[in-house]
Amino acid sequence: MTPILLIIPLAFAILTLLLPRNWARATIIPGLVLQVGAAVLLCIQIYHDGPQDYALGDWQAPLGISLIADGFSVTLLALTSLVAALCAVYAQYFLTRYPREQRYFWPLFWFLLAALNGIWLAGDLFNLYVGLELLGLSAVGMVALTAEKTTLKAALDYLYAALFGSLAYLAGVALLYGAYGTLSIVQLSEMAAANPTTQVALGLMTVGLLLKTAIFPLHYWLPPAHGGALAPVSALLSALVVKASFYILALLWLDVGALAVTVNAAQAMGFLGAGAIFWGSWQAFQTRQIKMLVAYSTVAQLGYLMLLFPLAIGVSEAAAHLAWQGTVLHLLAHAFAKAAMFLAVGTLVLALGHGRINDFGGVSQRNPVALFAFGLSAVSLMGLPPSGGFNAKWLLLQSAIASGQWHWFVVMVIGGLLTAAYVFRVFRVSFVQTAKHDIQETHPALQFSALALALMAIGLGFASEIPMSFMNLTDFTPSPGGSP
Amino acid sequence: MTIDLWYAIVGSIIVALSVFAFLTSRHLMKKLLAFNIMGSGVFLIMVGLPQHQHGVDPVPQALVLTGIVVAVSATALALVILRRYVRAGGNPAP
């Protein structure tokens, strides 16, 4: 069952690349149905039978590729399929105005999905590297689609950051293999001891992954790339792609290197996260372009993910468990909300013909659904109840209290207020009655796919139990100073 | 000091030099070259370091082979985008 999630996107990537344009378009819906169906089936299977291993082509590790599906991976697989499917529905209508870009969007879209699924399922550090590279290359290709001077520059910056990050990660992999003779995550988490080799390796990998996750102060490449790309591309990149490198980072710190990381290093990661929250929100508050606002909001929201490390390392098991649950929920809620926000903003920009926030007057009357989707996703980002974002921040705040780390409590509360500040900038102008110029009609599918994603972000507030019950099926839970 | 450790040391010197070049060069083409040399350094560490226990280890060689394929494709993509960027009027040495 497991490898089918890699075979489907790769097969459809090649199909959409080779088939003539009209035929390629016809394959999209069947492909999405297959993909979502396979992810749901795998979820059900894991729920009943527990975590599973699979050796690709019956070649055993170390030379073969082993796939591991546990509770965390299937949660992320389901998230990826859902978000990607709605972004694809949006893209079908959005890209009718971009015939040339459409030709290359679909192969890249499927390669991106294949890379993401490969990362969620990878059972060893090297396959994570291959997944990261594939992900980076397809994401850069999608940013460069419009081939304008500014987006090409953004794509180049993104590519160089991604390549540098991957090599730093690979250097760490080389050191770990040299020291322990294995790359399997399960084996390494039992073997990796607190010695200089492990710590240098973890340090190199962490720097590489921080660069790829665009954590402050290494976020310079993200706003132009995510803000400049086409709307469905931005949604995919912000919702899913940056989460992949965070997933590996969490795996390294809480599982593989759990014995080698120190409390001070974890606190330092938290400070980077706090920097991201403040700097990202401030930039979002200042920018004039709506898409840059949403992109900087991603920078800020990624900061919350970094708070996992100080909240889960060197604290009691109960506090670590809360931090872990809160982070997973934040990851899911942010993915839905940010995809919804980028799609909604893409629709508004399409209708207005520009992205200047100050000239957003009148959209509340002509594009109420898109603006409503924007509002709902903003509710989740701010962490207002009822929403997935609220539950996530509630759990993180509880964890900070349980471990007595009040400084992170303060950071999160201020972060929520700052989010409200930059989001309300948009509402302040969009409810102005008079439009300065024509607002075009947009296809209803554009508005409703964004609304569907926003409703999922809100609905996650009522259905938080589902991802949490899956999380209990994974053997990767943080425990202070030891492997699980 | 064994001969195998030498590979790793030479590899890390190459990595250090190319990281310096990557961070200080402004020309995008030079950065790309630095990235390629950095890759070679990492690959040298990868094949050199694990040999000291039980002779030649086939696994890192397979990994490096994959790594080279990835590096070549990444370089090709970077070159294409760089060419398009320069044609669109961009400055390769900002």
Side-chain angles (χ1 to χ4, degrees), chain A residues 62-63 100 126 129-130 133 137 140 144 147 149 152-153 156 159-160 163-164 167 170-171 173-175 177-179 183, chain B residues 22 28 31-32 35 38-39 42-43 46 49-50 52 57 59-60 62-63 66 70 74 77-78 81-82 84-85 88-90:
Chain A
L63 278 177
R100 195 178 59 85
F126 190 76
Y129 162 75
V130 175
E133 285 285 32
L137 295 184
V140 166
K149 193 175 144 190
L152 286 173
K153 183 71 174 70
L156 273 176
L159 180 60
Y160 281 20
L163 292 180
F164 190 86
L167 273 188
L170 190 62
V173 172
L175 286 180
Y177 189 81
L183 289 172
Chain B
F22 188 89
L28 291 169
K31 272 184 189 285
L32 191 60
F35 158 73
M38 188 161 51
V42 172
F43 297 151
M46 210 161 194
L49 202 55
H52 54 91
D57 188 343
V59 174
L63 301 187
T66 315
V70 170
L77 179 65
I81 300 180
L82 188 55
R84 291 294 290 267
Y85 174 61

Side-chain angles (χ1 to χ4, degrees), chain A residues 56-389:
Chain A
L56 215 57
D58 237 356
W59 283 78
Q60 300 300 325
L63 278 177
I65 296 172
S66 73
L67 303 177
I68 295 179
D70 60 13
F72 193 21
S73 6
V74 292
T75 311
L76 291 167
L77 281 170
L79 169 84
T80 308
S81 317
L82 270 177
V83 172
L86 284 162
C87 287
V89 171
Y90 182 92
Q92 268 208 311
Y93 295 96
F94 186 85
L95 291 176
T96 47
R97 301 181 186 221
Y98 299 89
R100 195 178 59 85
E101 283 82 351
Q102 196 181 28
R103 185 84 192 88
Y104 300 102
F105 175 85
W106 293 109
L108 288 169
F109 169 82
W110 285 113
F111 277 126
L112 191 87
L113 272 193
L116 280 168
N117 288 350
I119 290 174
W120 308 140
L121 290 170
D124 67 77
L125 294 180
F126 190 76
N127 288 323
L128 286 174
Y129 162 75
V130 175
L132 271 179
E133 285 285 32
L134 285 178
L135 186 66
L137 295 184
S138 36
V140 166
M142 287 176 117
V143 172
L145 270 180
T146 48
E148 288 155 6
K149 193 175 144 190
T150 46
T151 50
L152 286 173
K153 183 71 174 70
L156 273 176
D157 284 345
Y158 184 10
L159 180 60
Y160 281 20
L163 292 180
F164 190 86
S166 319
L167 273 188
Y169 175 81
L170 190 62
V173 172
L175 286 180
L176 282 181
Y177 189 81
Y180 298 105
T182 180
L183 289 172
S184 149
I185 291 167
V186 178
Q187 287 178 7
L188 272 175
S189 61
E190 288 160 11
M191 292 164 77
N195 55 36
T197 316
T198 314
Q199 283 168 342
V200 169
L202 281 180
L204 282 168
M205 294 162 113
T206 304
V207 169
L209 293 169
L210 285 177
L211 183 60
K212 275 175 154 321
T213 320
I215 299 301
F216 175 86
L218 300 172
H219 65 283
Y220 65 94
W221 58 266
L222 187 142
H226 288 196
L230 297 170
V233 175
S234 314
L236 286 169
L237 296 191
S238 264
L240 301 174
V241 172
V242 282
K243 307 292 163 51
S245 38
F246 169 76
Y247 167 75
I248 301 175
L249 200 60
L251 216 58
L252 283 180
W253 279 62
L254 300 177
D255 196 18
V256 174
L259 298 171
V261 294
T262 61
V263 176
N264 285 341
Q267 291 288 328
M269 295 286 268
F271 281 110
L272 292 183
I277 293 172
F278 295 143
W279 180 253
S281 304
W282 175 243
Q283 289 294 320
F285 188 69
Q286 287 215 307
T287 183
R288 290 180 183 180
Q289 292 289 324
I290 181 84
K291 287 193 76 176
M292 290 305 269
L293 183 147
V294 186
Y296 272 113
S297 158
T298 299
V299 172
Q301 295 287 321
L302 289 173
Y304 286 100
L305 293 176
M306 287 294 114
L307 296 183
L308 167 68
F309 302 109
L311 290 178
I313 291 172
V315 299
S316 71
E317 203 160 332
H321 193 62
L322 280 174
W324 178 234
Q325 288 189 323
T327 305
V328 171
L329 214 51
H330 176 69
L331 195 157
L332 300 175
H334 177 252
F336 286 127
K338 193 47 65 76
M341 198 174 243
F342 260 122
L343 296 186
V345 159
T347 314
L348 294 178
V349 170
L350 205 63
L352 286 164
H354 69 81
R356 292 183 304 277
I357 298 169
N358 288 338
D359 298 339
F360 256 49
V363 289
S364 61
Q365 288 172 322
R366 302 297 303 271
N367 285 73
V369 180
L371 193 67
F372 185 53
F374 181 89
L376 285 183
S377 55
V379 164
S380 180
L381 286 186
M382 284 185 275
L384 295 181
S387 68

Side-chain angles (χ1 to χ4, degrees), chain A residues 416-439:
Chain A
L417 293 176
L418 287 171
T419 313
Y422 64 72
V423 168
F424 276 107
R425 279 183 67 204
V426 180
F427 291 122
R428 192 171 59 87
V429 284
S430 50
F431 282 103
V432 173
Q433 299 292 321
T434 50
K436 281 192 180 163
H437 42 73
D438 278 2
I439 298 177

